[in-house]
Amino acid sequence: MSLQVENMEKNMAKLTIEVSAEELEKALQSAYQKQKGKITMPGFRKGKVPRQMIEKMYGVEVFYEDAANALISKNYAKAYDECGLDIVSQPSIDVVQIEKGKPFIFTAEVAVKPEVTLGEYKGLEVEKFSNRVTQKEIEEELVKEQEKSAREVIVEGRPVQDKDEVVLDFEGFVDGVAFEGGKGENYPLVIGSGSFIPGFEEQLIGVEAETETEVKVTFPEEYHAAELAGKEAVFKCTVHEIKAKELPALDDEFAAEVSEFDTLEEYKADIKAKIKERKIADGKRAQEDQAVEKAIANASMEIPDAMINTQTRQMMDEFAQRIQAQGITMEQYTQFTGMTAEKMMEEFKPQAVKRIETRLVLEAIAKAENIEISDEKLDEEIAKMAEAYQMEADKLKSFMGENEKKQMKDDMAVQEAITFIVEAAVEK
C-alpha cells in the first residue's frame, strides 16, 4: 500500500491510497469464494461455477464491489495509522481506479482536528453565588416530605378546593351539539394539574358534590382536533366525589418516620445542610459553565463541516440508545413526533458545535498550562470506578486497552482545565 496526503482548505485532508494489482486480485478471488455458493449456471453444480465463466456471463465487474469494500476497510485503517493526521470525522470514500491487472486506487476525504487560537481564559468574570438557606426553603422541603406521606380522604360538607382530586361526569357541547370525545364518566381529575383545557379546572373550585354545573371554555387555536380549535364550548359537569390529601403533623414522630433523626429540629438541621450543599454544587456548576462559555467566546477556530456532521450523528446515536432503553425505537419516535432524520440532524447541530468547541478549547488550555495526568492519578480514578462497579481495580484496569487509558487521561485533563479557569476567574 502507498499513501499520499494532501492538505485542503477548512481543515480537510485527502488521503490517496494505492493498493497493488496483486492485492486487488486476491480480494477479487476472495469475493468469488464467498459468492460462488449462491451462483447457479446450467451445466454446473451449485457452487462449482468457475470464476471465469461467472465474469464472462455477468461482466468482470461482478466481484468489484465486494473486493473494493474489503480493500477499503483494510487499507483505510492502515492509512489512518500512518498518515500522522489527527482525524476527527468519518471518511468520505471515492474509488478512483478498480480494474483487473491494475492497482486499486481510492481516496478518503477527512476532517482534521482544528488548531485553536486561545484568547483570554484567566481572570474571567463569573457570578458570585449564595449558599444561604432561608426558612421558606426548609419549609418547602418539609411540605414535600409531608405530601409523600399524605393519605387521601373523602371530603364531605365542603365544596371543591384547589389541589383536590375529584371524580366527575362531564359532557361537552359546541353550539349546543355534543362533540365526539367530549364525554367522561367517573373521571378522576386533580384540580390545578393542568390536565384539562385552560380554564376548566378553575371553574370547578367552589362546586358542591352531586350538583350539576356548567363550565365554559374556549379551545386553544392550536388544539390537536382541528374541528374544535378556537371554538367556545360548554361542559355540563357533576362532581360525585371530592378527595383531599391529609398531611401528617410536623412533629418528632414524623421526623423519626421519614429520616434517621429522632427530633424534628435535628431533621430540619439536616435539610438545611443538604440544601446548602446543593446550592454550593449548583453554584459551582454555573460558574464552570460561565467560565467555559467565555473562554470559548474569546477563542477562535475553524471547525470543518465533516467534524460537525460526525459529532451530530454520534449525538443522534446516543439519543436513539436512550429512547431504546425506554422501549421506544427511532422509527416509533419519528412516527409519534413527525420528526425526520434530517430535522433531527438540524436540531442537534448547534449542540454538536458547542460540544466540539468546548472540547477543543479545554484541550488547548490544558496544553497551554502543561496539564498532564500522571499514571498515579489515572490509577486513582480507576480505583474510584472499580469501587463504583464493585470490582477490583487491577481487574478493571486489565480490561482497558492503551487507547481507553489515553482517553481517560485526556478527559481528566479537560476536567482539570475547567477547574483551572474557574479558580483563576474573578467573582463579581
Side-chain angles (χ1 to χ4, degrees):
M1 182 202 82
S2 65
L3 169 66
Q4 289 183 331
V5 179
E6 176 189 353
N7 291 317
M8 302 166 68
E9 293 182 343
K10 295 183 178 179
N11 291 305
M12 295 294 292
K14 181 189 282 188
L15 311 182
T16 301
I17 301 154
E18 183 173 317
V19 183
S20 69
E22 291 77 16
E23 285 297 312
L24 173 58
E25 174 54 33
K26 287 180 184 177
L28 288 168
Q29 183 62 20
S30 178
Y32 160 68
Q33 293 293 340
K34 287 180 182 176
Q35 293 187 40
K36 67 179 183 179
K38 304 173 187 176
I39 299 172
T40 58
M41 192 177 289
F44 295 93
R45 285 183 296 148
K46 191 175 182 180
K48 298 297 183 180
V49 184
R51 176 179 156 191
Q52 293 81 357
M53 292 292 293
I54 297 170
E55 290 177 336
K56 186 175 180 180
M57 174 171 279
Y58 296 105
V60 291
E61 303 88 359
V62 65
F63 300 117
Y64 278 5
E65 185 177 349
D66 279 1
N69 288 339
L71 289 173
I72 289 168
S73 177
K74 176 182 176 183
N75 290 280
Y76 174 72
K78 287 182 181 179
Y80 181 96
D81 292 335
E82 293 177 15
C83 68
L85 301 175
D86 197 345
I87 295 172
V88 290
S89 75
Q90 294 297 318
S92 176
I93 302 292
D94 184 33
V95 174
V96 176
Q97 176 175 285
I98 180 166
E99 187 177 340
K100 287 177 68 174
K102 293 183 179 180
F104 172 62
I105 303 172
F106 70 98
T107 61
E109 284 194 17
V110 294
V112 180
K113 188 175 182 178
E115 288 291 327
V116 176
T117 303
L118 289 171
E120 189 59 63
Y121 60 89
K122 298 176 187 176
L124 301 171
E125 285 191 346
V126 294
E127 290 181 11
K128 191 172 184 178
F129 64 88
S130 171
N131 58 19
R132 189 175 72 87
V133 181
T134 65
Q135 188 61 34
K136 183 182 177 183
E137 288 170 327
I138 296 171
E139 288 170 359
E140 285 173 351
E141 288 295 318
L142 282 170
V143 169
K144 287 179 186 176
E145 285 300 325
Q146 274 184 298
E147 288 181 344
K148 287 179 188 177
S149 303
R151 64 189 186 94
E152 278 192 339
V153 294
I154 295 174
V155 175
E156 294 179 353
R158 74 158 172 81
V160 176
Q161 295 180 1
D162 191 23
K163 295 186 171 50
D164 282 347
E165 180 178 321
V166 299
V167 177
L168 76 157
D169 295 343
F170 61 86
E171 186 171 14
F173 299 84
V174 172
D175 296 329
V177 180
F179 57 86
E180 188 177 349
K183 186 175 183 179
E185 294 181 351
N186 294 319
Y187 192 94
L189 173 66
V190 176
I191 305 300
S193 64
S195 305
F196 273 33
I197 305 159
F200 184 100
E201 294 167 24
E202 293 86 338
Q203 293 181 56
L204 291 178
I205 294 173
V207 172
E208 300 281 352
E210 302 302 341
T211 303
E212 186 177 288
T213 188
E214 288 189 351
V215 171
K216 297 177 181 179
V217 296
T218 301
F219 283 96
E221 292 291 341
E222 65 279 5
Y223 194 65
H224 63 84
E227 68 276 9
L228 296 174
K231 297 280 182 70
E232 291 184 357
V234 175
F235 284 85
K236 293 182 178 179
C237 306
T238 302
V239 174
H240 294 303
E241 197 172 73
I242 303 171
K243 296 178 184 177
K245 284 184 178 179
E246 189 176 82
L247 301 178
L250 280 177
D251 52 23
D252 291 346
E253 185 179 343
F254 169 75
E257 282 182 6
V258 301
S259 74
E260 59 191 46
F261 302 99
D262 295 326
T263 68
L264 184 60
E265 288 308 309
E266 288 175 311
Y267 182 41
K268 284 182 179 179
D270 182 64
I271 289 174
K272 182 177 181 179
K274 285 177 178 172
I275 294 174
K276 185 174 183 178
E277 192 177 294
R278 187 168 67 239
K279 284 192 170 188
I280 291 171
D282 290 345
K284 285 182 176 178
R285 272 194 298 272
Q287 287 186 339
E288 286 179 1
D289 291 343
Q290 291 165 28
V292 170
E293 283 177 13
K294 290 185 177 181
I296 291 170
N298 293 340
S300 60
M301 70 208 87
E302 188 175 26
I303 304 172
D305 289 340
M307 185 180 188
I308 296 170
N309 291 337
T310 296
Q311 181 67 67
T312 304
R313 280 192 292 270
Q314 183 181 325
M315 292 175 72
M316 283 187 66
D317 290 342
E318 291 169 359
F319 177 76
Q321 289 172 5
R322 287 198 299 272
I323 64 171
Q324 281 169 7
Q326 298 169 23
I328 304 171
T329 65
M330 276 296 284
E331 290 75 18
Q332 289 170 328
Y333 177 81
T334 54
Q335 286 174 358
F336 296 155
T337 61
M339 291 288 284
T340 63
E342 291 75 21
K343 282 183 182 177
M344 290 182 70
M345 284 283 284
E346 283 304 310
E347 287 197 359
F348 276 122
K349 195 165 283 187
Q351 299 173 49
V353 171
K354 185 172 182 181
R355 188 182 285 191
I356 293 167
E357 288 176 338
T358 301
R359 183 76 184 197
L360 289 175
V361 168
L362 291 173
E363 285 178 347
I365 292 171
K367 184 178 180 181
E369 296 298 329
N370 296 313
I371 297 172
E372 293 182 357
I373 305 301
S374 65
D375 290 339
E376 290 74 23
K377 278 190 177 179
L378 178 64
D379 287 343
E380 288 174 11
E381 189 63 25
I382 291 172
K384 289 178 187 175
M385 288 174 59
E387 187 176 349
Y389 291 130
Q390 296 184 333
M391 61 188 296
E392 294 178 7
D394 289 342
K395 190 171 183 180
L396 177 59
K397 191 174 180 180
S398 70
F399 293 148
M400 299 170 66
E402 289 306 311
N403 285 339
E404 289 172 300
K405 291 175 188 174
K406 181 181 181 303
Q407 185 63 52
M408 272 193 72
K409 282 188 173 184
D410 290 346
D411 292 344
M412 291 169 68
V414 162
Q415 194 57 48
E416 287 201 11
I418 294 173
T419 302
F420 176 85
I421 61 173
V422 172
E423 289 179 350
V426 177
E427 290 185 335
K428 63 174 183 177

